[in-house]
Amino acid sequence: MMMVWLISQMWALLLIAFASGIAAGAWIQAARAQRAAGEFSSTGIGRDSPGRAAAPAILLDAPNGQQDDLTQIIGLDRATEQRLNALGVFHFRQVAGWDDGAARWIEIRLNEPGRVARERWTEQAATLS
């Protein structure tokens, strides 16, 4: 009889622990979603970003001459290069000419906030061009 009571108590505690875990996970997920939504508002401005996102001055329909190998920029892989090409970026000189607003515009399109500045794409592109 004592064993049945003990097992019933353990199941009750396991059920409470499970429900607590589900509630904590939902709360954490909601907090992460709220933080991510705050990083880029509908205008493309990050919470800690002073300026506006604006399309780079030079976006091309096709490469102007020989296309540069953008994967020479450290941290930029083939998939990202293809995504940049689809946006109209083919040359180091284009990347080197980005200001903060253009870099934010690219980051928004790539869905990778802060990547251009963090990986120093503009500085690397200026050196490579």
Side-chain angles (χ1 to χ4, degrees), residues 4-73:
V4 172
W5 178 83
L6 188 59
I7 290 173
S8 68
Q9 292 299 311
M10 286 187 346
W11 276 108
L13 291 175
L14 284 173
L15 185 60
I16 291 170
F18 178 74
S20 299
I22 295 293
W27 179 75
I28 290 169
Q29 180 64 25
R32 284 184 180 169
Q34 184 178 17
R35 186 179 72 204
E39 286 183 11
F40 280 98
S41 65
S42 61
T43 60
I45 302 172
R47 279 185 289 185
D48 54 356
S49 304
R52 291 183 136 324
I58 302 173
L59 292 176
L60 305 172
D61 292 328
N64 186 3
Q66 182 66 30
Q67 177 178 338
D68 292 329
D69 180 11
L70 297 178
T71 61
Q72 290 182 20
I73 296 174

Side-chain angles (χ1 to χ4, degrees), residues 2 27 32 49 54 56 58 63 65 79 85 90-91 94 97 125-126:
M2 181 66 146
W27 179 75
R32 284 184 180 169
S49 304
I58 302 173
N85 293 162
F90 299 95
H91 302 287
Q94 290 177 278

